[in-house]
Amino acid sequence: MSTYFTKDHEWLKIEGDIATVGITDFAQNQLGDVVYVELPESGKTVAQEDEVAVVESVKAASEVYAPIDGEIVEGNELLVDEPAKVNEAAESDAWFFKMKLGNAAQLEELMSEADYKAFVETL
Amino acid sequence: MADAADLLKTPLFDLHKELGAKMVPFAGYDMPVQYPLGVLKEHLFTRESAGLFDVSHMGQAWLVGPDHATTAAALETLVPSNMKELKPGKQRYTVLLNDNGCIIDDLMVSRPLAAEDDGRLMLVVNAACKENDYKIIAAALPDNVKLKIVEDRALIAIQGPKAAEVMALHAPEAAEMRFMEARPLEFDGISVIASRSGYTGEDGYEISIPAGAAEAIAKALLADERVEAIGLGARDSLRLEAGLCLYGHDIDENTTPVEGSITFCMQKRRKEAGDFPGGERVLKQLAEGTDTLRVGLKLEGRAPAREGAEIRAPGSEEIIGRVTSGGFAPTLGAPVAMGYVPSELAAIGTELELVVRGRALPAKVAEMPFVAQRYYRKPK
């Protein structure tokens, strides 16, 4: 299983042809207390950079983008009832959605965990 | 966005940094939007215990005239409230109006308690409006009333159900004050001017302090475990729950006090006479109603509708209004908003739709405040 990161502060864990996608711990920390999450519908075909989910803190709404092309296969219903899970477990239980990889070559463009950590240091 | 170097700092800037605040530019100042506790917990802590806010960015000024009647009369030419009958030691919320009867700013006015201060009124205006307010006020004053801008004082607020008991430890006379009263106090031996008011819907005080003593007083309050530092983020969600207007959003130079549903700031004599800027228009609105009104909105579900969201009647595509403030109300655990709607759709319970990311969310016109106010009033 390999994990990738994006400049939009999303992480992807790849298992077979399925990517589990969430926001990073850095992102949840920047957002503050999450009070609402809007998930994409299963079956939806999305392109890289498309806005597919929304995460809202008390302060503001932020978009979550599709990190790669693909088809949404599942949203994490846990976040609908317990949006605060995003603050507690951003990089584990509080994943946002799972998607079927549409173009695995796009993964090559994404960051490794070490690269992402270095990227965050520059912000 | 302004360069951090160009931003003004309040006398509590170093304290904010020390407390680990996240600083953001706000009305030209480098201000704490939140502390490590976070917006949600800061909000709830204020409702449960007490929060300390730095509001030193707001404008403090004195009107100084020969006697109360003269100074009050001068201010009354700009505002629709009764300033002449404002008693010593009392505070009043009012608005500066332009010639269309629209709101240039909202402000607090207090009349000092001491007889030797007769003829003085203390003003607290919005940070983003202060330069413009001062220009307008100064231009309207007669020769014998002067505007004295206060640059050397901080302003802090302590708000919440435990604010009074904490305050009383440092300034026992504060306990005698009622909602919308103002007076000088000795806070641990430091002379301050306090009012029992605020912007959260809770009991509490706003305290004007000589800049050099601000940090000592803030630290004395924060040393109490019943008090936490609260940033602008929670200040906004607290005032939204309290149904209080944010100038430039919920009221502005295109809205009158009638449209803005703040006619409580207009007392009987002024409402009858209409002797203020735009008075004719405002009187007509009072008699005949307005096309639009500011209302509270409660949404079904959890998705917040924020400023700018379109308001529609159910089943219609026509945009009939917009949300002017909206977000998640931590005390209620649900989203709330305020916005302008046609007056015929302003009745409590009216069903509307708020458009968020292309989806129509069901909402109802709701009574404000959304969270009950807990001001310390005189028993009736």
Side-chain angles (χ1 to χ4, degrees), chain A residues 93-107:
Chain A
D93 291 349
W95 52 275
F96 274 57
F97 53 88
K98 294 186 186 207
M99 63 190 294
K100 198 171 191 176
L101 302 185
N103 180 0
Q106 288 171 331
L107 295 174

Side-chain angles (χ1 to χ4, degrees), chain B residues 320-360:
Chain B
I320 56 168
R322 281 187 193 272
V323 168
T324 52
S325 281
F328 188 79
T331 313
L332 302 175
V336 297
M338 48 176 95
Y340 283 81
V341 298
S343 300
E344 63 272 20
L345 295 175
I348 304 296
T350 304
E351 290 181 8
L352 296 168
E353 288 176 353
L354 308 185
V355 184
V356 175
R357 293 180 289 274
R359 285 198 300 133

